[in-house]
Amino acid sequence: MPLQSPNQDLENERLAIKYRPLLVLYPEIGDGSQRREHHHPDYGFNQPPLDQDYHPRDIRFVLDHARLPGKKERPSRDHLLDMMSENRVSHIDIIDSGGPKEIDKFWLVYAGIHNKDGNPEYQKSAYVRIVRGSERFEDYLSIQYWFAYFFDDWANVHEMDWEMASVILKKTDSAEEPIACVFNAHIGGFRKPWKDVHKADDAGKKNPDGSHPIAYVANGSHATYFSDYPPAFSVAAPYLGPTLQQVIRITNISKAHMDYVPSFENGVTCFPEVKMIPRPDESGRWDGDWRWLNFRGKWGSPKQLSLMETIIARIPGLRKIHPLFQRPLREAGPTGPNAKGLCWENTFAWINLECFDAPTTCCWIGQLGGADINEL
């Protein structure tokens, strides 16, 4: 694979900084002992179950708190990177083995690491990759911003979290023109024309002529949305058939799968530090501090099934339905950016074939249950 010229590297960095999203997040957890209970059965639609959250940080923050499977002691960062780079392990443990056992432990550990913003290795960051299209997409660029979160505390619970926001540009003879954005949100990606995306200027102020898309990050789940929707909404409701929508409404599963997004005025806004992902070598591998990109395994422990879950997992059909009625759902950690299939390997085909158009309406709960959004 040919190396990029220094001029191309500088151009890539210019584009990445010019179009980096302005993140709107819940305040970062300050004291883990003060965390509100996310999974309390009495939380309501008008009140998010979490009032604080994790923010995306340099991957070194995760690496420095990870362990190899079955090991109690943390390895050196270099040893961990070696094992991950050679894919000698199928996953890494962030804190617990066998999936998160004590959710509060993650919050206490994270909150107990003080002065994260003052540590140059733990900055709020985005890992940036610029994809240049070919053939019928040769006039287009996709700037992918990958965010690494320490923990996912939502309807599903798992160690570590990778999310992504991207800006699509069309090249002209003299410049580039932004034409769309794609944000990751649970079931895949949502795409939206640039003209309809909320934007900010370099000062972080809302500005329709700004070059920075505003990315609203959901509480606990870190899914990325185009707007500060109503206080709570069902993530997948617009894409489900009428029968399944009714099942979700009657059983109240929708309450367990609500996302809560901060408003621009009340959220914490930040421009993440841009970290440009270098091109791999001719064999498609990264070296040095970027060895983690060779890892194909899970960034977090796989869940450890209870006896009941083990039995249910052996019953065809039931094993797929049963988890929908439980909360939290404990899942394995996610794969890294380079193991995201079509999203990484054929970006424009992924945008074309697998991403959904962002809903034109905000009243997702209203669509689901016939409610007036003003009553929620």
Side-chain angles (χ1 to χ4, degrees):
M1 194 173 291
L3 295 176
Q4 293 184 168
S5 68
N7 287 341
Q8 186 66 73
D9 288 339
L10 289 173
E11 173 64 5
N12 286 348
E13 187 170 5
R14 179 190 73 81
L15 292 174
I17 293 173
K18 179 177 180 180
Y19 293 103
R20 64 176 165 174
L22 179 70
L23 303 182
V24 183
L25 308 121
Y26 277 84
E28 192 160 52
I29 187 75
D31 183 346
S33 66
Q34 296 177 359
R35 182 181 75 90
R36 294 171 56 201
E37 177 54 62
H38 189 184
H39 303 294
H40 193 281
D42 294 332
Y43 78 85
F45 284 123
N46 286 310
Q47 188 65 51
L50 296 175
D51 54 3
Q52 295 174 304
D53 205 352
Y54 300 92
H55 289 183
R57 293 202 173 267
D58 190 301
I59 197 62
R60 289 174 289 190
F61 183 89
V62 174
L63 295 173
D64 287 350
H65 295 86
R67 292 178 291 110
L68 296 169
K71 303 293 184 181
K72 292 184 178 180
E73 300 298 324
R74 290 178 187 160
S76 68
R77 191 189 295 170
D78 272 345
H79 180 53
L80 179 64
L81 284 171
D82 281 341
M83 297 292 285
M84 295 173 68
S85 179
E86 298 299 326
N87 284 287
R88 297 179 189 171
V89 291
S90 61
H91 71 275
I92 58 173
D93 296 333
I94 306 303
I95 290 183
D96 286 335
S97 61
K101 297 181 176 67
E102 299 178 36
I103 294 174
D104 285 346
K105 186 190 301 183
F106 287 80
W107 291 91
L108 289 167
V109 168
Y110 191 81
I113 302 168
H114 300 292
N115 197 30
K116 291 184 283 290
D117 290 330
N119 186 331
E121 293 192 335
Y122 293 168
Q123 295 298 299
K124 295 174 184 176
S125 303
Y127 287 90
V128 184
R129 172 180 182 247
I130 294 186
V131 182
R132 286 173 161 75
S134 59
E135 298 178 352
R136 61 182 175 139
F137 299 116
E138 64 180 354
D139 293 333
Y140 298 89
L141 305 176
S142 174
I143 311 176
Q144 293 184 339
Y145 298 87
W146 291 92
F147 307 107
Y149 296 89
F150 189 64
F151 189 59
D152 180 285
D153 188 359
W154 185 59
N156 56 4
V157 173
H158 52 80
E159 297 181 317
M160 219 319 201
D161 206 4
W162 281 105
E163 297 291 348
M164 191 269 288
S166 63
V167 177
I168 314 304
L169 307 176
K170 184 175 183 180
K171 297 179 291 184
T172 66
D173 292 337
S174 58
E176 76 285 331
E177 176 189 0
I179 60 169
C181 283
V182 177
F183 290 172
N184 271 25
H186 306 308
I187 59 175
F190 291 101
R191 60 196 179 198
K192 197 165 194 176
W194 181 257
K195 63 181 179 63
D196 297 330
V197 174
H198 293 185
K199 292 177 279 290
D201 56 29
D202 290 342
K205 305 296 183 183
K206 273 190 174 180
N207 185 339
D209 297 320
S211 64
H212 304 282
I214 299 176
Y216 298 83
V217 179
N219 165 287
S221 77
H222 310 128
T224 311
Y225 292 103
F226 288 107
S227 179
D228 47 349
Y229 295 108
F233 53 92
S234 177
V235 176
Y239 307 101
L240 303 177
T243 301
L244 189 52
Q245 286 193 25
Q246 287 301 317
V247 170
I248 286 177
R249 181 174 62 84
I250 293 169
T251 60
N252 208 24
I253 299 175
S254 59
K255 188 175 179 181
H257 291 77
M258 289 293 143
D259 256 342
Y260 297 77
V261 181
S263 69
F264 187 87
E265 292 72 23
N266 296 325
V268 173
T269 61
C270 78
F271 285 116
E273 182 178 328
V274 164
K275 296 183 182 294
M276 302 300 298
I277 297 176
R279 284 171 65 87
D281 63 21
E282 292 182 356
S283 64
R285 291 179 58 81
W286 287 265
D287 58 15
D289 292 341
W290 295 93
R291 282 171 288 170
W292 56 269
L293 275 166
N294 300 320
F295 185 50
R296 308 292 295 184
K298 300 282 189 179
W299 290 76
S301 300
K303 70 175 182 178
Q304 197 169 50
L305 297 179
S306 66
L307 177 60
M308 180 60 70
E309 288 172 327
T310 302
I311 295 172
I312 289 173
R314 296 178 182 274
I315 303 175
L318 189 59
R319 63 188 176 195
K320 294 183 179 180
I321 299 174
H322 176 72
L324 293 175
F325 296 88
Q326 293 188 333
R327 190 171 188 270
L329 310 179
R330 301 187 189 278
E331 300 178 352
T335 54
N338 64 312
K340 296 296 187 187
L342 207 60
C343 177
W344 182 273
E345 296 164 4
N346 196 335
T347 301
F348 292 97
W350 174 74
I351 295 169
N352 238 15
L353 300 175
E354 295 191 6
C355 295
F356 297 96
D357 292 329
T360 55
T361 176
C362 291
C363 188
W364 291 7
I365 295 178
Q367 289 180 345
L368 182 62
D372 183 343
I373 198 64
N374 295 319
E375 297 176 356
L376 299 176

